[in-house]
Amino acid sequence: THSNVVLEEWKERAEHEFHTHSSHYVEAVIRRPLGKWLEFLESTETLLKSNEASPTNVASKPSHSRSTAKKLLAQFDLKEVRKGVETLKKRIEKHFGDADEPNSSSGLVEHVLHESSSRYGVAHDRMQAIIDTVYDGELKIDWRKDEVAALFKR
């Protein structure tokens, strides 16, 4: 079992390309079910990072008020998140499930579903951090990460 340096180099490149492209794909495809959620997260995080905005200042902006955040969280109740996950799973299955080699495509589908599940978890954590920081922990996310992880495994 000799190690082929050139082959190892190409394998590493291929793995890097695979992870880069699958990450870009998941980032793009997850925007459809979680677009508003992610936009709110990103704009709030940007405001918090800027020097002029304290958590109190962020909450006082109409676009980031407590009632705006509450409405957004209400839009993403468990029923809506479940529907988004099911639609996302169908889309991923459609994009990657029809490959010429069923064995490799099922592994790819599994990988993309796992990555998508992880992204939902990260989005949940980011929102919880904003709720704790900006809204003093007084708002509630209607779904849990483990519930969404279970939806992706079905």
Side-chain angles (χ1 to χ4, degrees), residues 102-122:
N103 292 339
S104 66
S105 72
S106 70
L108 183 57
V109 168
E110 192 176 302
H111 171 77
V112 174
L113 289 175
H114 176 73
E115 286 296 312
S116 300
S117 176
S118 296
R119 293 290 171 96
Y120 266 81
V122 169

Side-chain angles (χ1 to χ4, degrees), residues 13-26 119:
R13 262 192 225 165
E15 287 172 352
H16 175 73
E17 289 276 323
F18 172 75
H19 290 293
T20 300
H21 289 286
S22 69
S23 178
H24 289 309
Y25 173 81
V26 171
R119 293 290 171 96

Side-chain angles (χ1 to χ4, degrees), residues 89-143:
K89 284 172 58 178
K90 286 178 189 169
R91 182 172 292 117
I92 291 167
E93 195 64 49
K94 179 182 172 193
H95 288 169
F96 298 110
D98 296 336
D100 295 334
E101 296 181 37
N103 292 339
S104 66
S105 72
S106 70
L108 183 57
V109 168
E110 192 176 302
H111 171 77
V112 174
L113 289 175
H114 176 73
E115 286 296 312
S116 300
S117 176
S118 296
R119 293 290 171 96
Y120 266 81
V122 169
H124 183 283
D125 290 344
R126 288 168 64 197
M127 183 62 82
Q128 191 59 56
I130 287 172
I131 289 170
D132 294 341
T133 305
V134 178
Y135 306 107
D136 302 320
E138 295 175 8
L139 301 176
K140 187 176 181 304
I141 300 172
D142 188 46
W143 51 277

Side-chain angles (χ1 to χ4, degrees), residues 1-5 7-8:
T1 60
H2 298 287
S3 128
N4 186 330
V5 178
L7 200 53
E8 286 298 317

Side-chain angles (χ1 to χ4, degrees), residues 66-79:
R66 187 177 306 273
S67 67
T68 302
K70 191 174 182 176
K71 286 177 190 170
L72 177 81
L73 292 172
Q75 286 177 352
F76 287 91
D77 62 354
L78 182 58
K79 180 180 175 187

